[in-house]
Amino acid sequence: MAYVITQPCIDVKDKSCVDVCPVSCIYLEDDGLDRKLYIHPDECIDCGACEPECPVSAIFEQSAVPGEWQEFIELDRRWNTGDDADKNAVRARINEMQPPAA
């Protein structure tokens, strides 16, 4: 069971979690397209080091993701294991969920 980054990370993108991850499984394409970070579900070793480092409490063990953010389990998986079309679909869904600030 992997950890998941949920909605509070959108537009925050604090990389404290990246700094403590022992297996470098937290990703962000720094091209301006991504509005949040993503944990690769197959690379995460469930160590939990990232969770307390998140300043907005956006990281949860998959089994503990609050009901309103369950969709982020699939979004993290799809962004990390899909192709460019999947990443773009995830980005579009993030924009639907929380429209970018004007």
Side-chain angles (χ1 to χ4, degrees):
M1 198 150 311
Y3 278 75
V4 177
I5 299 177
T6 61
Q7 191 159 5
C9 182
I10 297 173
D11 294 330
V12 174
K13 300 186 292 189
D14 183 278
K15 295 179 184 168
S16 299
C17 56
V18 174
D19 296 337
V20 299
C21 180
V23 294
S24 300
C25 70
I26 304 171
Y27 296 92
L28 167 74
E29 288 189 8
D30 235 352
D31 55 9
L33 294 176
D34 290 314
R35 297 177 56 208
K36 69 178 277 302
L37 288 90
Y38 298 88
I39 296 177
H40 195 298
D42 298 332
E43 295 174 4
C44 178
I45 60 170
D46 307 320
C47 69
C50 58
E51 187 176 17
E53 296 302 316
C54 181
V56 293
S57 300
I59 302 174
F60 297 88
E61 183 178 42
Q62 183 175 330
S63 64
V65 173
E68 68 268 24
W69 295 330
Q70 286 288 307
E71 184 177 1
F72 284 88
I73 297 169
E74 175 60 18
L75 293 175
D76 273 22
R77 185 205 62 75
R78 189 172 180 195
W79 190 92
N80 279 290
T81 60
D83 57 16
D84 285 342
D86 285 315
K87 285 185 178 184
N88 287 333
V90 169
R91 292 172 181 133
R93 179 62 185 133
I94 295 292
N95 288 338
E96 287 173 11
M97 297 168 89
Q98 185 170 318

